[in-house]
Amino acid sequence: MASNIQLSFIIAAVMALVPIVFREDMLLSMILAVQIFIFVVNTGTSLRVDETSKWSKFELTLPVRRRTIVRAKYVTFVLLILMGILTSLLTLAVCSALGMSIDPVMVTYSYGFGLTLAITSTALMYPVMLKIGTEKNEMIVFFSGFAAVGIMLLLAAILAPFTEGMQIRHPLVGTVSTCTAIVLFIISYFVSVRIHRKKEFR
């Protein structure tokens, strides 16, 4: 995963230049969200390599429990998300230092959307890949991201009475979406442990 992470850092750094050059708040909002998400895309590639190299089978011979193996994956997911957050914070700091006007509501929305997308995607992605395999990991990553957006839209619709209409950019929607994503992430861990215990790796 190391080379992919380096590539993600390079892409994130190049993306950070876009709002600085064009000085557009909307571009900054999009860039922050994508920077948070871009690192977790490496998850599919990593799991695919584990399977094709037979590491998923050999790691069972280690003196560790299956729960510990799954927990290690989720720790990795958290670290990838933290890398995305760090990159986005650096982008935000540079833009602020250059005198760009930054809307707090826009920043809240960007982080709410980015975190919801990243956390929900990994929460859905890993159990599915563990269950059916990683042959179609790109498609699974795509549909996991699509499902994350769908969940945020659904929550925006549910919260419409409290936000004066369906407003996906409302801070309440971002906060609830992120909290929901975290709950899904925790549930995903226990589901993955259960799947892993029953799975026979070949």
Side-chain angles (χ1 to χ4, degrees), residues 137-198:
N137 68 83
E138 294 88 357
M139 187 177 295
I140 294 171
V141 171
F142 172 77
F143 280 109
S144 296
F146 186 76
V149 174
I151 289 172
M152 195 167 189
L153 290 172
L154 177 62
L155 290 173
I158 293 172
L159 295 169
F162 307 99
T163 57
E164 299 179 355
M166 185 174 171
Q167 299 184 35
I168 195 170
R169 293 179 177 274
H170 196 283
L172 179 61
V173 175
T175 302
V176 173
S177 297
T178 304
C179 291
T180 302
I182 292 171
V183 171
L184 286 174
F185 191 80
I186 295 169
I187 294 172
S188 171
Y189 165 74
F190 290 105
V191 171
S192 296
V193 169
R194 186 177 181 84
I195 294 172
H196 201 285
R197 282 175 176 168
K198 295 183 177 182

Side-chain angles (χ1 to χ4, degrees), residues 111-122:
Y111 278 89
F113 183 77
L115 287 171
T116 300
L117 190 60
I119 298 171
T120 305
S121 295
T122 52

Side-chain angles (χ1 to χ4, degrees), residues 21-124:
V21 172
F22 293 98
R23 294 184 174 268
E24 287 286 340
D25 285 347
M26 287 299 297
L27 282 175
L28 177 59
S29 176
M30 181 184 68
I31 295 300
L32 293 176
V34 173
Q35 283 178 327
I36 295 172
F37 175 71
I38 196 171
F39 288 88
V40 302
V41 176
N42 295 308
T43 302
T45 305
S46 174
L47 296 175
R48 176 65 176 161
V49 172
D50 282 354
E51 188 171 295
T52 55
S53 66
K54 303 298 183 182
W55 173 249
S56 296
K57 177 182 177 181
F58 294 139
E59 68 182 349
L60 298 178
T61 64
L62 297 172
V64 293
R65 302 170 67 180
R66 288 199 176 205
R67 181 191 302 172
T68 306
I69 293 172
V70 175
R71 188 182 302 146
K73 303 293 185 187
Y74 279 80
V75 169
T76 302
F77 301 156
V78 171
L79 290 174
L80 289 172
I81 293 169
L82 289 176
M83 287 179 189
I85 294 173
L86 176 61
T87 305
S88 67
L89 287 173
L90 290 173
T91 300
L92 201 60
V94 171
C95 290
S96 179
L98 292 175
M100 286 183 60
S101 59
I102 298 173
D103 183 3
V105 175
M106 178 273 294
V107 173
T108 303
Y109 165 72
S110 300
Y111 278 89
F113 183 77
L115 287 171
T116 300
L117 190 60
I119 298 171
T120 305
S121 295
T122 52
L124 298 175

